[in-house]
């Protein structure tokens, strides 16, 4: 029957697909950061993204610092 896809099974399938396409292997962390960026680009607030991604701090902002479109509005609001 149907059952949830585990993280390890998902990563294995992703790795297989990347190899088939002759693409560099993609790590789970990249997907997490990519999803964070996607939500922020869609206008979801930092606090909601932190909660959804189970981020315990603002550390994820380090990964997004090069994305001025996302960071600029928040940098203007924060001293």
């Amino acid at each position: 029957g149907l059952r949830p896809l585990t993280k390890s099974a998902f990563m294995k399938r992703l790795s297989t697909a990347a190899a088939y396409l002759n693409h560099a292997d993609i790590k789970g962390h990249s997907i997490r950061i990519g999803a964070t960026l996607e939500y922020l680009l869609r206008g979801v607030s930092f606090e909601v993204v932190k909660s959804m991604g189970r981020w315990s701090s603002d550390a994820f902002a380090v990964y997004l610092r090069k994305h001025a479109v996302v960071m600029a509005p928040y940098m203007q609001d924060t001293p």
Side-chain angles (χ1 to χ4, degrees), residues 18-43:
Y20 177 79
L21 296 171
N22 201 24
H23 191 281
D25 198 19
I26 299 172
K27 305 294 182 201
H29 196 255
S30 298
I31 294 170
R32 189 171 184 207
I33 294 300
T36 298
L37 176 60
E38 178 64 25
Y39 283 122
L40 291 173
L41 286 171
R42 289 176 184 245

Side-chain angles (χ1 to χ4, degrees), residues 13-67:
R13 288 183 186 190
L14 190 60
S15 181
T16 301
Y20 177 79
L21 296 171
N22 201 24
H23 191 281
D25 198 19
I26 299 172
K27 305 294 182 201
H29 196 255
S30 298
I31 294 170
R32 189 171 184 207
I33 294 300
T36 298
L37 176 60
E38 178 64 25
Y39 283 122
L40 291 173
L41 286 171
R42 289 176 184 245
V44 178
S45 74
F46 265 31
E47 293 305 315
V48 170
V49 172
K50 278 175 59 174
S51 176
M52 289 170 57
R54 297 180 316 274
W55 296 90
S56 60
S57 70
D58 291 336
F60 69 93
V62 171
Y63 300 104
L64 304 173
R65 66 178 173 256
K66 293 184 181 179
H67 300 281

Side-chain angles (χ1 to χ4, degrees), residues 64-79:
L64 304 173
R65 66 178 173 256
K66 293 184 181 179
H67 300 281
V69 172
V70 174
M71 294 301 291
Y74 296 100
M75 292 171 65
Q76 292 172 0
D77 288 340
T78 307

